[in-house]
Amino acid sequence: MAARTLSALPISTSTFPSPSKNNNRNSILPSPSSLSLPSNHRKPTPLAGSFLGDPAPLSSLRAPTTPLFPRPSPPRSAAVFSMLPTTKLEGASTEKTPKWSARAIKSFSMAELEARKLKYPNTGTEALLMGILIEGTSEAAKFSRANGITLSRVREETVKLLGKSDMYFFSPEHPPLTEPAQRVLDWAVDEKLKSGDNGEITTTHLLLGIWSEKDSAGHKILASLSFDDDKANELVKSANEDAVMAYR
């Protein structure tokens, strides 16, 4: 049965000539043209295969060109961090809304971070005071250091006054403001609006706002470090001679 099947297959004799016609050894070797693979077994072209599909033109394979000096994207921080939480500006028009200075915004951020370091559940007036000193470049911070109010001393007085938090307590990412701290921000905005000045709300407003809260931890810490009304008045004059700030 197998013999019949094999005999039925077509056999081409053109590729392998019979040795009887030519006794030369090279004549029995197939010619190079006869060794060519079928079209479906040829070496695929680059980027052609069952996974990549048809080869794409070289023009489409070029990397996308980007400009050497891309256009800078517009700043977003000014739109997001131009305001601090306050109740004094609810319903006010945006044209008359005073803006916080960059140093005041950074001081507020440092205050939140300092409250988290101390593992306090809230951001109080003592944290606002430490935030001003951590930022360190404002007139309020320079004036405080010149009068012996340093970050290390404020931290020490804070622990003495408020104590240490539980070691296993974790503060929230943004500790909420205490009521005195919220009143400090509102006071700063209110005094800025009263002055009629078109400038920004600075860290000087924050420091004087802390001093205006008589029963707050920040006021007590400032008083323990020899800060008084005379120094507050001096700070007002050094910050803005035209501003009249009536602290409580």
Side-chain angles (χ1 to χ4, degrees), residues 141-163:
K142 295 176 182 178
F143 182 86
S144 298
R145 288 195 303 268
N147 287 274
I149 303 173
T150 61
L151 178 60
S152 59
R153 296 184 68 184
V154 172
R155 280 177 178 166
E156 183 180 354
E157 293 296 327
T158 298
V159 174
K160 288 181 181 179
L161 183 62
L162 302 179

Side-chain angles (χ1 to χ4, degrees), residues 69-130:
F69 300 100
R71 295 180 179 179
S73 58
R76 299 180 181 179
S77 58
V80 178
F81 300 107
S82 61
M83 296 299 298
L84 294 182
T86 179
T87 60
K88 287 290 183 180
L89 299 177
E90 294 180 356
S93 61
T94 55
E95 296 179 357
K96 297 182 179 180
T97 300
K99 304 298 183 182
W100 293 86
S101 66
R103 290 185 175 92
I105 294 172
K106 185 176 180 180
S107 298
F108 182 82
S109 300
M110 294 298 102
E112 287 186 332
L113 182 60
E114 193 63 23
R116 293 183 62 190
K117 286 182 179 180
L118 295 174
K119 296 189 175 183
Y120 287 164
N122 300 93
T123 302
T125 54
E126 73 289 340
L128 294 178
L129 177 58
M130 286 185 283

Side-chain angles (χ1 to χ4, degrees), residues 72-239:
S73 58
R76 299 180 181 179
S77 58
V80 178
F81 300 107
S82 61
M83 296 299 298
L84 294 182
T86 179
T87 60
K88 287 290 183 180
L89 299 177
E90 294 180 356
S93 61
T94 55
E95 296 179 357
K96 297 182 179 180
T97 300
K99 304 298 183 182
W100 293 86
S101 66
R103 290 185 175 92
I105 294 172
K106 185 176 180 180
S107 298
F108 182 82
S109 300
M110 294 298 102
E112 287 186 332
L113 182 60
E114 193 63 23
R116 293 183 62 190
K117 286 182 179 180
L118 295 174
K119 296 189 175 183
Y120 287 164
N122 300 93
T123 302
T125 54
E126 73 289 340
L128 294 178
L129 177 58
M130 286 185 283
I132 294 173
L133 295 171
I134 292 173
E135 192 279 328
T137 63
S138 64
E139 292 297 327
K142 295 176 182 178
F143 182 86
S144 298
R145 288 195 303 268
N147 287 274
I149 303 173
T150 61
L151 178 60
S152 59
R153 296 184 68 184
V154 172
R155 280 177 178 166
E156 183 180 354
E157 293 296 327
T158 298
V159 174
K160 288 181 181 179
L161 183 62
L162 302 179
K164 294 183 178 180
S165 181
D166 187 0
M167 183 175 65
Y168 298 100
F169 176 79
F170 292 94
S171 301
E173 183 178 0
H174 298 285
L177 291 170
T178 61
E179 291 184 5
Q182 183 64 69
R183 288 195 296 268
V184 167
L185 299 183
D186 295 342
W187 184 93
V189 173
D190 191 41
E191 290 298 322
K192 188 62 181 179
L193 292 174
K194 288 179 181 179
S195 67
D197 186 14
N198 295 327
E200 297 175 324
I201 307 173
T202 65
T203 52
T204 300
H205 295 89
L206 284 179
L207 183 57
L208 294 173
I210 295 171
W211 183 247
S212 71
E213 287 294 323
K214 298 292 185 181
D215 297 329
S216 67
H219 179 94
K220 295 177 181 178
I221 293 171
L222 286 173
S224 66
L225 298 177
S226 302
F227 191 88
D228 52 20
D229 291 345
D230 294 335
K231 291 180 180 178
N233 290 326
E234 185 180 352
L235 181 60
V236 171
K237 294 177 181 179
S238 64

